[in-house]
Every structure is written in structure tokens, then in C-alpha cells.
Amino acid sequence: MARLCTLAVGSVTVLLARGVIAEAQITNDTFFYGQSPPVYPSPQIQGLGDWAAAYSQAQAFVAQLTIEEKTNLTGGYAEENGCSGNIYAIERLGFPGLCVTDAGNGVRGTDFVNGYASGIHVGAAWNKGLTYRRGVDMGGEFRAKGVNLQLGPVVGPLGRVAEGGRNWEGFSADPYLSGKLVAQHIRGVQSNGVGTCTKHYIGNEQETDRNPTTNSQNETVASLSSNIDDTTMHELYLWPFVDAVHAGTVAIMCSYNRINNSYACQNSKTLNGILKTELGFQGYVVSDWFAQHSGVASAEAGLDMVMPSGLAFWGPNLTEAVQNGSIPEARLNDMATRIMATWYYTNQNDGYPARGVGMPASLSAPHEVVNARNPSARPGLMQAAVEGHVLVKNVDNTLPLQKPRLLTVYGYDAVNPQFNTPTPGLSSWALGLTSTDVYSVLCGFSSALGPCTPFLGYAANGTIYTGGGSGATSPAYISAPLDAIQARAMQDGDTVVYWDTQNINATGAVEGATDACLVFINAEASEGVDRPALYDSYSDSLVINIANQCSNTIVTIHNAGIRLVDNWIDHPNVTAVIYAHLPGQDSGRALVSILYGDVSPSGKLPYTVARNESDYGAILSPVQTPEESEYSLFPQDAFSEGVYIDYRSFDAKNITPRYEFGYGLTYTTFSYSDISISKIPNPRNQSAYATGAIIPGGHADLFANVVTVSATITNIGSVGAAEIAQLYVGIPASGQPVRQLRGFEKVFLTPGGSQTVHFYLQRRDLSVWDAVAQNWRMVVGGHYSFSVGASSRDLPLTSTFTL
Ligand SMILES: *[C@@H]1O[C@H](CO)[C@@H](O)[C@H](O)[C@H]1NC(C)=O
Ligand SMILES: *[C@@H]1O[C@H](CO)[C@@H](O)[C@H](O)[C@H]1NC(C)=O
Ligand SMILES: *[C@@H]1O[C@H](CO)[C@@H](O)[C@H](O)[C@H]1NC(C)=O
Ligand SMILES: *[C@@H]1O[C@H](CO)[C@@H](O)[C@H](O)[C@H]1NC(C)=O
Ligand SMILES: *[C@@H]1O[C@H](CO)[C@@H](O)[C@H](O)[C@H]1NC(C)=O
Ligand SMILES: *[C@@H]1O[C@H](CO)[C@@H](O)[C@H](O)[C@H]1NC(C)=O
Ligand SMILES: *[C@@H]1O[C@H](CO)[C@@H](O)[C@H](O)[C@H]1NC(C)=O
Ligand SMILES: *[C@@H]1O[C@H](CO)[C@@H](O)[C@H](O)[C@H]1NC(C)=O
Ligand SMILES: *[C@@H]1O[C@H](CO)[C@@H](O)[C@H](O)[C@H]1NC(C)=O
Ligand SMILES: *[C@@H]1O[C@H](CO)[C@@H](O)[C@H](O)[C@H]1NC(C)=O
Ligand SMILES: *[C@@H]1O[C@H](CO)[C@@H](O)[C@H](O)[C@H]1NC(C)=O
């Protein structure tokens, strides 16, 4: 309740007296105005960084256009194809228009494409090279299908709300990990000439009330306002967007929510101010679908393209507003120039496949096949599927399995969902799980959305390899765990497999001779709805029931977000537990390779698993605004925890998590030694504040390396495995978390092998946001602490350094 009564003002949070608010009779959001400062006019593209050539080509192109043609570039339209959105061609000048399509984890909604591991799975792999590779492979598919812009990757939501329904689409609840991986993704996809659209900008941290609705009196309820103070904005939510802009993302999608009471697609502070001025963004801002709420205001605030339709507010009215002087023609020119610059920047003017060529309007009608699947993508798909598995419990080397003679398999998550979802066929398979499919296997939501399976809680009946909604994937096939375990048994000739994948209460179901009982459960999530809880009792009863009967119970959880395990984790018969996340189409094969020890697990948690839901505090659940409250028409979310989300919060409150951020086991042991710190000679500027020209991402200095930390890692066990070495920094300034991730390196080491890893810290990694100076500032003269180790709470090496 306190969250409804607080508002962020300046960088401190002020508790407003409820009586005062009631007296003010909030009938509109004027009450809140002034918090999102006006920033006008909208900055024009300048050709910063490596955009100079694209900028001049775009200028030359746009100079030839009529006002109507420029307007045509800014608004989407529906065509008879499977693209999520289209931009009109300008045929007289050889511009074929644009196809933009979902989403960040692979091409959705068409055939002959692959279903990649989801963002959270890639986050759990902590592998920069693999993330780049996934981007390259995925980009090749978007290109082959004639898609100009991938509607992804996702770095917002960041993962503030533990139950957030879309947290699985992004990489991690930590901005640094998220930022490093998003940059690799963007470079990978764009190396194929496909643009990326980094989303959702910004503060879209929950699904509940993300869009305007009507209440029982038929009044319009505005979407939730994320009231984020300037420091939190910069140090947390903006951070990975900086990496995205710096990596050259060509588009940014403004989100559904409001920020400080101004809709994200017409917020001049976030678009004109932060994105286009401070970050020097050279591409275009495109609205989330139906996220535009005004015509002139959104144009002036920096929106450049609207989806899915220009006719909602712009179209002929934008032309008229320019002709009658309401909107300067320079603003329209800038929209068109930014959009065309991305076309040249990605070289789409040179031999790009025809727009939407592989995106038929209907898959059920005969259509020409464009096979976007490249055999060269297969190793990367499998490797990413493997590396996102996180082993968190492994008593007495239960895993890997040693030549098992008999395995028994339990649980609804072991089997292929094709046979179990209420709507099998194209909608759930080739088209990817839609949010309706997921709703229909969830409970506690509108029954109008479909039948609900009462005792499943929020698990999906069938193995999950993706979350639901626009970020879902369209796999070429699904390797379900039971299929892959069977295939392995068939191959080795000695193992027998029994299974019971539906009955949770089976007694006498455990064959006395079994070597292990493999239990499969899941926790599904989807766009459009937040999760009701972080565990469900149906799945927990299944685990407990089998554990009560089987002394070697191995639990695998496919989880589209945080999943608590405290109802059974200490059960003495639960001998091993794996968070399997969302591995994509190679799910079962990848798991089997880990279970049998063909590869050692190498993932680590990209979020914190608590012992109890209450440990997440107020940001466990989304803000729910009661209809009778004074905020009912203008829901508010104060973000009063500031930067203290996930491990930053657990550290600050001294709460012991079940499994901390960065935690994960493998089949060997690593030792850490020899930390050393060296200052890079002649960093570009020794002063506290960042300087230098603005390049995409901000001041050039921010990206200069200033300090290198090195440490040696040795494999002291008996099998080869990869370790993810992590560097955490304590910045000596008030309001800073005790430690923040500022480096990670994944290295594969053979038994006895040893390697020195280097963490290169950029100026921004050691800076705090100075809201008064409106700049990043290093704490010159302050004693920074550096710790290196295997997780955020296992840091054997520490040292301090004075800048
Ligand atoms: C909006 O609300 C303020 C009080 O917060 C009130 O003074 C003003 O008259 C209202 N404006 C409209 C148009 O209702
Ligand atoms: C939101 O309001 C807070 C408090 O006044 C301010 O620090 C921040 O800069 C504002 N952000 C935007 C985007 O308006
Ligand atoms: C906008 O594009 C559509 C489709 O090509 C075309 O019919 C229309 O004439 C265009 N408008 C202008 C002003 O070019
Ligand atoms: C709700 O309001 C809209 C216009 O704002 C109107 O078209 C609609 O009929 C109203 N519905 C009801 C049930 O009153
Ligand atoms: C254009 O503006 C008029 C008048 O404000 C409005 O009725 C109409 O819906 C608008 N059309 C479009 C396409 O935005
Ligand atoms: C100019 O055109 C726009 C869009 O139709 C309209 O909203 C605005 O009122 C017009 N302004 C003037 C001064 O005619
Ligand atoms: C899951 O699907 C299977 C196969 O369609 C069905 O027999 C079973 O009852 C379903 N389980 C639940 C909990 O809905
Ligand atoms: C399983 O057994 C428990 C305890 O006896 C009971 O509460 C529950 O309803 C049973 N569940 C099913 C699906 O039969
Ligand atoms: C563990 O499993 C064995 C069967 O192998 C069973 O006898 C025992 O009761 C189980 N332990 C617990 C604590 O349930
Ligand atoms: C969290 O704590 C509450 C109250 O102590 C308890 O009812 C609940 O089962 C706990 N949840 C988990 C996952 O342990
Ligand atoms: C270094 O930064 C200071 C403070 O912002 C600035 O005055 C100075 O010009 C910068 N020096 C260089 C070489 O950029």
C-alpha cells in the first residue's frame, strides 16, 4: 500500500499525506505535471559516430520527397503478408518499403525458421561470443525472410518485479550483464544487414495496467506511470539501452506505460532529452503497437514512426499539421531522415531480399516456401540450449548419471506440448505460443480467455521452451525431455525408461530398481499478464510425492522467470536440481547431454532466487491500483526502492537468498588466485566527469577503459568445464550498492588447466550519475573495492583501488 502513496521527487522519495491527495481531488493527471521536464525541439540526426555516410545518403534521398511521401515513411500499414508491420514503398525512387517483425528470440509466426533459446536462457549462459553467434544466426533468418527490422532484443523490463510476465524475454535483472549481452546480440543480428529494435523504452516493468483500460463506470484509466528518479533511471533502467545505442541499434521502441505521467511515446524528456541528446541516438523511435496516444504531441516529443498504423493519429493529419505550421517541417524531415539512414546504415539498399518474401499472410493456404534455416546455425542453437541450464544442487555427484540401467520420468513438463496444449496445431506450434494459449493454461485470470486447468496453477501442460506472446518462437521441431531421454536409452542399448507424466499422486509408481527418478515441472509466463506466484503447489506436490518414494530424485524446472524451491529443496531424497529456463527447440537434447555428462553444466543464475516470496519486498508483485483509490484513473508506481532491485536489494537488506545472483554448479571445482589491478595509462581524461564528443551511447570518454582487473582461475577437479568468473565493484559514494557486477568472463578449462582472465573497466563502470551536473562522475580519490569470484556471494579475491 505504501507504494501507492509515495512519489519520487528529485532523487529522494517524499511520502505524500493521503489526506492532502484526497483534498486535491485528482480528476486528471495535472496534479503530477512538472515531473517530466519538457525538452524541445526534437534533436536532429547529425551523423554521429559511424553514421556519417548513412546520414548523408538519407539526406540526399529525403530531399527528393514530397511531404506526403515523408509522411508515408512514418506510419505503418497492414499488407497481405505475415509481417507484424509494414512501411510503404516509394517506388519512383527505388525504396521497397520495410517489413518489421517479432521478435527478440527468433522469427515468429512463419514456417521454416528455428526456435532459439530465450533471452533469460542466454542470460544464464553469460557467454558473449555465444550471444553474438546466436545473433548472427538469427539475423540470417530475418534476412532470408525479407524482414528489415527485428522487433527485439529486450532489455526492458529489466526484471524489477519478480513476478513480471515478460522478464524472460530479456537477459538478466542486472543492467551490466544485460547491457553486455544486448550489445553482442545487436552486433550479431546487424552483421547480417538486419536492423534491431531494442525495446521497451522505458520503465515497462510490469504487464498489469501497461495499457489504458476502462473501469466499471466506463471511465478511461490511463496506463501505469513509472515514476523513476533521474539517478535510478541512469544507473539502472537506462544502462543497457546505452549499450544498445552504442552498439548501433537502429531503432528503439517506446513502451506502453507512462513515465512521470507522460506516455512513453510522447515523453519529450526520455525521447528528445535522454535518448536523442544525451545518448546521441541516430536511429528512429517506433511506437509499440497502439502505444501512440497523440498526434502533434508525440511528433514533437520525438516519436518517428508509428505502428501498426499511421492512420491512428498521423497520416494525412501529420501532413496537414506540417503544412499549417503546427509541426515544423524540419521535424518531419528528421523522422524521414532517421528512418532512411537506418536503411543505408544496414546496407539494405544493396541486394536485400524482397520485403516480407518469406512471411506469407496465411500458413494454412498454399504458399511458396522460403527456408530460412541454415545448417550452420545448428551448433549454436544446441550450444546456447546447453549453456543456459543452471545446476543448483548436486548431492554426492548425483549428476552426471553413470551408465544408468533404469530411469523413471515424471511430470507434465517432460512431454511435448504439441499433444497437450488446449489449442494444438499451428497456433501453439508453428506460430509460437500466443498469449491466449498461455492464458488458457493459467489460472486466476479472465475465464473469457479460455479454459483454465484448475490444479496446474500457472504451469503449462507440456514442456516449455519459450514464453508466450509476441516474444514466443516458432520452432522447427521440439526436442522434449522424455523424447531425448528415450533416444539416449535407445542409443546406448542398456537403459530402460519408464514414465508417468500426468499423475502427480501416483503411489507405488517408483520401480524399485530405478537408478534415478527424473521429475519435470515448469513455470510459464507470457506477455500481457504478470505471474500470480513464484511457485505452485501442484508442481511442488508432484516433486514431494516422488521424493517421498525415491531416494534419488532429480528435479528439472523449465522456468520463464524466478521459481522458488523451498517447499522441497531440503528434502533428503532430492539429490539434484536444474533450472532449465527456456532452451528453445533443442531443449531435451541439451538437457540429456548435461545429465549424462557429455558436457558439464556452465550456466549461472541471472537473477536471485529467494527462500520466500516475501524476501523480494514490495517489488515481488506488480502494482495493482484498486478502483476505489484516489489513483484509480491515473495509476502510479513510485519506484521508491531506487536502484535496489534483485541482488542489490538482498545485499542491502542483508537477506540470505536460497541461490544468489551469479550462482551455479558444475561437475568440477575451480580455484581463484592472484587478483591484480592496474590503471590504464593515459585514459582519455583524468577528470571526474565524462567529457568528449557525444557518440552513440553518450560521451566518448565513458567507453574508454580506465582500469584492468586480472585474476587466475584453475580447474582443480577431474573433468573439463567452463567457469564464469565475475567481478563486482563497490563504488565509494553514498547511495551506491555494496557491490555491482562490472565484469564477467567465461573460460573453458581442462582438468588442471589454468587461465588468467582480464576484466576491462570503462569509465562508466566506475562512475555514478550526478543528477545536478547531469553527467557521470568517477569518485576521484575514493577507495573502490573489487571482488572476483564464482557468484555475487562467493568472492574469494578482493582488493581495493584508489582512483
Ligand atoms: C485537473 O486537476 C486539478 C487538480 O489536481 C484541477 O485544479 C484542475 O481543474 C483539473 N483540470 C481539469 C481540466 O479537470
Ligand atoms: C521524473 O521525475 C523525477 C522526480 O522529479 C526526476 O528526477 C526525473 O528526471 C523525471 N524523469 C522523467 C523522464 O521525466
Ligand atoms: C503512400 O503509399 C501508398 C501505397 O504505396 C500510396 O498509395 C500513396 O499514394 C502514398 N502516398 C503518397 C503521398 O505518396
Ligand atoms: C463507454 O464509453 C464509450 C465512449 O467513451 C461509449 O461509446 C460506450 O457506449 C460506453 N459504454 C457503456 C457500456 O456505457
Ligand atoms: C485527423 O484529425 C481529425 C480532427 O482532429 C480527426 O477527427 C481524425 O480522426 C484524424 N484522422 C487521423 C487519420 O488521424
Ligand atoms: C493544423 O493541422 C492539425 C492536424 O490536422 C490540426 O490538429 C491543427 O489544429 C491545425 N492547426 C491550425 C492552426 O489549423
Ligand atoms: C495434460 O494433457 C494431457 C494430455 O492431453 C491430459 O491427459 C491431462 O489431463 C492434462 N493435464 C492437465 C493437468 O490438464
Ligand atoms: C494429491 O493428493 C493430495 C493429498 O492427498 C490431494 O490434496 C490432492 O488433491 C491430490 N491431487 C490430485 C491431482 O489428485
Ligand atoms: C526416501 O526414499 C526412500 C525410498 O527409496 C523412502 O523409503 C524414504 O522414506 C524417503 N525419504 C523421505 C524423507 O521421504
Ligand atoms: C513463505 O513464507 C510463508 C509464511 O511464513 C509460508 O506460508 C510460505 O509457504 C513460504 N513460501 C515458501 C516458498 O517457502
Ligand atoms: C577533461 O575534463 C575536464 C572537466 O570536464 C574538461 O574541462 C577538460 O577540458 C577535459 N580535458 C580533455 C583533454 O578533454
Side-chain angles (χ1 to χ4, degrees), residues 112-114 116 133 136-138 140-141 144 370-383 476-477 585-586 589:
F112 297 94
V113 292
N114 288 305
Y116 288 82
R133 171 77 188 272
V136 171
D137 292 339
M138 194 186 285
E141 296 184 24
V370 174
N371 182 9
R373 301 181 65 216
N374 189 328
S376 67
R378 299 195 65 170
L381 275 155
M382 177 65 175
Q383 188 64 18
Y477 55 82
Q585 68 194 31
D586 283 330
R589 297 173 59 213

Side-chain angles (χ1 to χ4, degrees), residues 360 362-368:
S362 162
L363 292 180
S364 49
H367 56 274
E368 197 181 321

Side-chain angles (χ1 to χ4, degrees), residues 684-687 689-692 701:
R684 292 174 58 164
N685 195 320
Q686 303 277 348
S687 92
Y689 287 103
T691 59
D701 270 12

Side-chain angles (χ1 to χ4, degrees), residues 6-217:
T6 57
L7 275 179
V9 175
S11 53
V12 293
T13 297
V14 177
L15 187 65
L16 296 173
R18 292 177 67 87
V20 172
I21 296 169
E23 272 172 38
Q25 290 198 334
I26 300 168
T27 53
N28 58 63
D29 58 4
T30 303
F31 180 83
F32 303 104
Y33 283 170
Q35 290 191 66
S36 202
V39 182
Y40 299 100
S42 192
Q44 295 182 18
I45 176 176
Q46 293 170 272
L48 301 178
D50 58 358
W51 286 76
Y55 171 47
S56 58
Q57 285 170 291
Q59 264 187 317
F61 183 93
V62 172
Q64 305 171 67
L65 303 183
T66 64
I67 291 184
E68 290 85 352
E69 285 170 335
K70 289 180 228 177
T71 294
N72 249 11
L73 284 176
T74 67
Y77 75 101
E79 181 160 323
E80 276 294 296
N81 65 22
C83 301
S84 308
N86 290 276
I87 290 292
Y88 285 117
I90 302 174
E91 272 152 23
R92 71 180 182 92
L93 295 173
F95 173 67
L98 302 174
C99 159
V100 307
T101 260
D102 294 330
N105 300 318
V107 186
R108 183 179 68 90
T110 192
D111 51 11
F112 297 94
V113 292
N114 288 305
Y116 288 82
S118 290
I120 193 174
H121 199 87
V122 177
W126 298 61
N127 187 330
K128 291 172 224 176
L130 186 63
T131 308
Y132 177 80
R133 171 77 188 272
R134 173 174 171 271
V136 171
D137 292 339
M138 194 186 285
E141 296 184 24
F142 279 92
R143 183 187 179 100
K145 291 289 188 181
V147 179
N148 303 84
L149 186 75
Q150 171 188 33
L151 296 172
V154 171
V155 293
L158 181 63
R160 168 185 184 246
V161 176
E163 293 173 352
R166 294 188 89 168
N167 293 351
W168 60 274
E169 292 187 50
F171 303 102
S172 170
D174 178 81
Y176 180 91
L177 176 54
S178 193
K180 286 295 170 201
L181 297 183
V182 83
Q184 296 294 333
H185 177 101
I186 289 163
R187 293 198 175 100
V189 171
Q190 294 194 175
S191 73
N192 263 313
V194 177
T196 55
C197 175
T198 305
K199 63 190 190 180
H200 305 83
Y201 187 74
I202 193 170
N204 191 172
E205 294 294 323
Q206 66 175 58
E207 294 300 279
T208 307
D209 289 340
R210 68 175 184 166
N211 267 318
T213 52
T214 45
N215 66 13
S216 60
Q217 277 101 56

Side-chain angles (χ1 to χ4, degrees), residues 547-551 571-573:
N548 286 343
Q549 304 171 60
C550 178
S551 61
H571 194 297
N573 287 350

Side-chain angles (χ1 to χ4, degrees), residues 412 415 419-421 453-456 461-462 501-502 538:
Y412 57 86
V415 295
F419 310 116
N420 281 355
T421 45
T453 310
F455 52 92
L456 272 184
N461 191 4
T501 57
Q502 298 303 333
Y538 176 88

Side-chain angles (χ1 to χ4, degrees), residues 723-747:
E723 170 67 326
I724 299 159
Q726 301 161 44
L727 166 72
Y728 293 82
V729 177
I731 300 177
S734 69
Q736 291 296 308
V738 61
R739 69 182 68 86
Q740 305 188 66
L741 183 73
R742 285 293 188 261
F744 63 92
E745 290 298 327
K746 189 166 192 173
V747 288

